[in-house]
């Protein structure tokens, strides 16, 4: 069994650090307590580096989220582990460095993460060019109803932010930079 380097993003400690892994139990240990299955997220540039994340992280009560625009899923829940992959899908040392990873991500609160996910969903739908002349009246109505729901969700979050006390606002909206450990 070979040992190789991986890069751990720890959302509680706000650190990015190099760790050694050699098998599945090592991956689960680095992802953290309570992780029973993990998912592999590829970067948009299709490099050989991938992030392992808690597959059920978004369904769990989380306080801190990872945001990275280089991923198809901009917001990730919980810790993450960067590994490289070879042509057969086996794990190898990642090509990205600790510093590159730390500079491409930040950690934020649930409130900020939800706003980012909604805004991404709204802009993704807006980017999908739809020839409205080919849609039925029912399909147009459904599309408009979804747009209204999305706008209402964003508005309600903004109202919630504006109406809370300054101390609560700081807790709801924190954005933290990761540091190299």
């Amino acid at each position: 069994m070979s040992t190789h380097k991986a890069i751990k993003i720890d959302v509680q400690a706000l650190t990015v650090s190099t760790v050694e892994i050699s098998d599945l139990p090592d991956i689960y240990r680095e992802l953290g307590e309570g992780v029973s299955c993990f998912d592999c997220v590829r970067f948009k540039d299709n490099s050989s580096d991938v992030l392992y994340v808690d597959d059920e992280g978004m369904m769990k009560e989380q306080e801190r989220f990872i945001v990275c625009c280089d991923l198809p899923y901009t917001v990730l829940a919980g810790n993450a582990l960067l590994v490289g992959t070879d042509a057969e899908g086996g794990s190898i040392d990642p090509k990205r460095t600790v510093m590159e990873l730390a500079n491409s991500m930040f950690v934020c609160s649930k409130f900020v993460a939800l706003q980012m996910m909604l805004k991404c969903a709204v802009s993704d739908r807006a980017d999908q060019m739809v020839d409205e002349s080919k849609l039925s009246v029912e399909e147009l109505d459904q599309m408009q109803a979804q747009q209204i729901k999305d706008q209402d969700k964003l508005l309600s979050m903004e109202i919630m932010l504006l109406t809370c006390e300054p101390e609560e606002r700081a807790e709801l909206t924190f954005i933290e930079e990761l540091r190299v450990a």
Side-chain angles (χ1 to χ4, degrees):
M1 187 176 322
S2 65
T3 299
H4 58 274
K5 291 180 182 176
I7 301 174
K8 179 180 180 177
I9 300 100
D10 186 321
V11 296
Q12 296 306 318
L14 299 173
T15 58
V16 179
S17 59
T18 302
V19 295
E20 299 262 333
I21 59 172
S22 59
D23 56 12
L24 208 50
D26 290 345
I27 294 170
Y28 282 108
R29 182 190 70 243
E30 297 298 341
L31 287 176
E33 193 175 317
V35 177
S36 59
C37 61
F38 63 89
D39 198 4
C40 176
V41 181
R42 292 208 167 273
F43 286 81
K44 287 180 182 176
D45 65 6
N46 288 322
S47 68
S48 61
D49 288 346
V50 296
L51 273 178
Y52 292 154
V53 296
D54 184 354
D55 189 47
E56 299 170 338
M58 290 300 228
M59 295 183 281
K60 296 177 181 174
E61 189 61 36
Q62 302 277 353
E63 293 181 18
R64 295 174 183 249
F65 295 80
I66 297 170
V67 176
C68 179
C69 294
D70 296 337
L71 299 169
Y73 312 109
T74 306
V75 179
L76 304 171
N79 294 338
L81 194 63
L82 179 82
V83 298
T85 56
D86 61 22
E88 289 81 39
S91 296
I92 59 173
D93 291 354
K95 288 189 170 50
R96 284 175 175 78
T97 66
V98 170
M99 191 58 76
E100 287 172 329
L101 201 58
N103 289 334
S104 69
M105 299 180 165
F106 62 89
V107 173
C108 67
S109 66
K110 180 188 283 187
F111 187 83
V112 172
L114 287 171
Q115 280 189 316
M116 293 191 76
M117 287 188 295
L118 272 173
K119 286 182 180 180
C120 287
V122 169
S123 69
D124 284 349
R125 274 200 284 284
D127 288 344
Q128 297 170 355
M129 297 301 286
V130 176
D131 185 354
E132 293 182 5
S133 66
K134 295 183 180 178
L135 295 178
S136 68
V137 172
E138 186 177 289
E139 290 170 322
L140 279 171
D141 288 344
Q142 288 174 347
M143 192 172 79
Q144 288 174 335
Q146 186 60 51
Q147 288 172 343
I148 290 168
K149 283 182 187 177
D150 291 343
Q151 295 295 334
D152 285 347
K153 286 178 187 174
L154 285 172
L155 183 60
S156 67
M157 282 195 280
E158 288 169 4
I159 289 170
M160 181 179 136
L161 182 61
L162 291 171
T163 58
C164 66
E165 296 298 320
E167 300 81 31
E168 293 174 306
R169 190 175 305 133
E171 288 177 20
L172 287 172
T173 60
F174 71 81
I175 296 175
E176 301 281 350
E177 289 185 16
L178 290 162
R179 65 182 185 285
V180 175

